[in-house]
Amino acid sequence: MLDSIAELRERYLAEVASAGDAEALESVRVIALGKKGEVSLKMRELGRMSPDERRTVGPALNALKDELDAAIRARRTALEDAALDERLRAEWLDVTLPGRPRPAGTIHPVSQVMEELTAIFADMGFSVAEGPQVESDWHNFDALNIPPEHPARQEHDTFFMHRAAGDNRPPHVLRTHTSPVQIRAMQAQGAPLRVIAPGRVYRMDMDQTHTPMFHQVEGLAIDRDLSMANLKWVLEEFCRAFFEVDHVELRFRASHFPFTEPSAEVDIRCSWEAGQLKIGEGSSWMEILGSGMVHPHVLRAGGIDPEHWQGFAFGMGIDRIAMLKYGIPDLRAFFESDLRWLRHYGFSALDMPSLAGGLSA
Ligand code: DAH
């Protein structure tokens, strides 16, 4: 019996020594010392031995168990140390190396200008309203007092959506202006009301100053007794804050829009000298928006009683005022995604406009 214990000892010490990883070591442990392991089975045989035999074999088995146990622990620690050393070697990292440069994108001038004008109008109590870019022809035209035969429908160079064969409802359109958001805002919020609606609009048009997709911001204020005087003040305040000049001069020219009565187009005084545009001085005028008092038909389409409420509205080209403010000569470049252009005219993401920082109110 003692011979076989010596044999077990030799065999298992050798296996422990050659176990290459934690898993192999564990299986040696189970085979030797586990509940049904070889050493445990030998322990069980003690019961069948004579007291004398037991007195020699018992301690020898215990000693073997302790020795194997200690050897397994030592081996485990050695394997763990080796694994850690290997990780430290393989995953070594020079934290003093400079970081990899990550090319930062820029904020498109149109996005920047939308943020700027939103901050300015928000300060005057306007909140932002939105509407779909695929719009019903009722919202885009009828509700704005542009019935089917109205010549303004032709002037808008509308993109029409497709209807299934046999579906005779009027097709939806890509909205030709942000004015349909007036209707949606009135229906959703009722009066009184003060909203702006910046967004994309679409017309079939393409030359140096026109692209098939461009941006407008709509403004709408409804209250008991708003007048053109309020409109004029709001627009002047806006222009002073937006163009960051103390003095702006606006010219209201009588005009016609189906959705306003009376209507006015608004020009801003500016000068072009040596290709440099200056706002607020000079002898040129640049048209920047259309506006007027909301037509009673339009109020009614929005669910508002024109006997009790009135308001003003305006629509301004965002791309146009972005070009004016930041001296960008060609509209088409706005939408070509040329990285050189974007890096040159784009804004840092941290350059967020607020009335407190940067934008002079
Ligand atoms: N919707 C007009 C356009 O796209 C712009 C406009 C003019 C909007 C007068 C208005 C307005 O709200 O009152 O040309």
Side-chain angles (χ1 to χ4, degrees):
M1 185 69 180
L2 291 180
D3 284 353
S4 75
I5 290 177
E7 188 267 325
L8 279 186
R9 176 179 176 275
E10 213 162 295
R11 177 147 54 84
Y12 281 122
L13 284 180
E15 280 185 25
V16 167
S18 65
D21 56 31
E23 222 176 299
L25 186 61
E26 176 62 8
S27 70
V28 176
R29 190 191 67 75
V30 171
I31 292 170
L33 304 179
K35 261 200 199 115
K36 291 181 183 156
E38 215 167 344
V39 176
S40 314
L41 292 180
K42 284 252 180 308
M43 293 255 189
R44 253 178 250 170
E45 285 173 26
L46 287 173
R48 278 182 270 125
M49 291 177 190
S50 68
D52 271 356
E53 232 178 337
R54 206 180 301 150
R55 217 166 289 133
T56 51
V57 174
L61 275 176
N62 268 331
L64 171 62
K65 186 172 165 254
D66 290 347
E67 189 180 1
L68 286 180
D69 199 51
I72 288 169
R73 273 174 214 281
R75 181 70 186 145
R76 184 176 297 140
T77 308
L79 285 172
E80 282 169 0
D81 285 353
L84 182 60
D85 282 348
E86 173 57 20
R87 266 192 75 189
L88 287 173
R89 200 187 54 72
E91 297 177 18
W92 180 84
L93 188 66
D94 183 353
V95 294
T96 66
L97 281 177
R100 286 196 197 98
R102 281 216 270 158
T106 57
I107 305 293
H108 195 284
V110 170
S111 305
Q112 176 78 11
V113 162
M114 281 195 190
E115 293 292 337
E116 290 175 7
L117 60 85
T118 301
I120 296 167
F121 281 114
D123 194 51
M124 294 194 272
F126 288 77
S127 54
V128 172
E130 284 182 316
Q133 294 176 36
V134 176
E135 186 55 283
S136 76
D137 84 328
W138 184 81
H139 286 92
N140 195 79
F141 294 120
D142 302 65
L144 291 163
N145 199 30
I146 313 175
E149 307 73 30
H150 198 285
R153 288 220 181 190
Q154 269 70 60
E155 286 159 25
H156 276 217
D157 303 314
T158 312
F159 286 108
F160 293 95
M161 304 302 289
H162 187 71
R163 283 255 187 239
D167 186 341
N168 294 322
R169 291 172 300 166
H172 281 9
V173 300
L174 291 183
R175 67 179 180 195
T176 58
H177 49 180
T178 43
S179 301
V181 186
Q182 288 190 29
I183 305 298
R184 294 183 176 274
M186 285 189 275
Q187 289 179 332
Q189 301 177 32
L193 182 66
R194 237 184 276 179
V195 292
I196 57 164
R200 291 185 171 172
V201 300
Y202 302 84
R203 288 183 203 177
M204 238 182 302
D205 210 350
M206 184 73 172
D207 60 34
Q208 189 163 357
T209 51
H210 296 91
T211 48
M213 186 279 299
F214 58 106
H215 300 83
Q216 290 186 334
V217 58
E218 195 76 13
L220 174 67
I222 310 276
D223 215 315
R224 296 279 179 199
D225 52 10
L226 291 178
S227 73
M228 290 289 273
N230 302 114
L231 169 67
K232 187 158 184 277
W233 182 86
V234 164
L235 293 177
E236 281 173 356
E237 270 315 283
F238 168 75
C239 288
R240 281 203 307 118
F242 179 77
F243 291 109
E244 301 181 37
V245 289
D246 291 333
H247 182 74
V248 291
E249 201 180 329
L250 297 183
R251 183 170 76 175
F252 282 64
R253 262 184 302 108
S255 182
H256 176 265
F257 298 103
F259 28 89
T260 45
E261 180 59 36
S263 304
E265 282 176 302
V266 177
D267 307 330
I268 190 165
R269 187 186 280 283
C270 61
S271 72
W272 280 105
E273 268 163 36
Q276 263 289 325
L277 181 77
K278 281 208 182 115
I279 299 290
E281 54 187 71
S283 54
S284 301
W285 294 94
M286 175 85 74
E287 183 192 324
I288 55 167
L289 61 91
S291 64
M293 299 304 295
V294 181
H295 196 289
H297 288 357
V298 175
L299 289 172
R300 232 175 263 122
I304 290 176
D305 183 354
E307 296 298 324
H308 295 102
W309 302 95
Q310 57 188 15
F312 62 78
F314 57 87
M316 187 157 44
I318 292 182
D319 317 276
R320 172 72 66 91
I321 61 171
M323 292 169 77
L324 287 178
K325 179 166 179 180
Y326 294 112
I328 308 172
D330 189 339
L331 175 67
R332 286 169 300 188
F334 271 64
F335 310 119
E336 280 170 358
S337 303
D338 182 329
L339 284 177
R340 293 163 302 177
W341 188 93
L342 291 168
R343 282 193 197 109
H344 181 78
Y345 287 111
F347 292 82
S348 153
L350 298 176
D351 207 6
M352 269 300 145
S354 75
L355 290 172
L359 269 175
S360 52

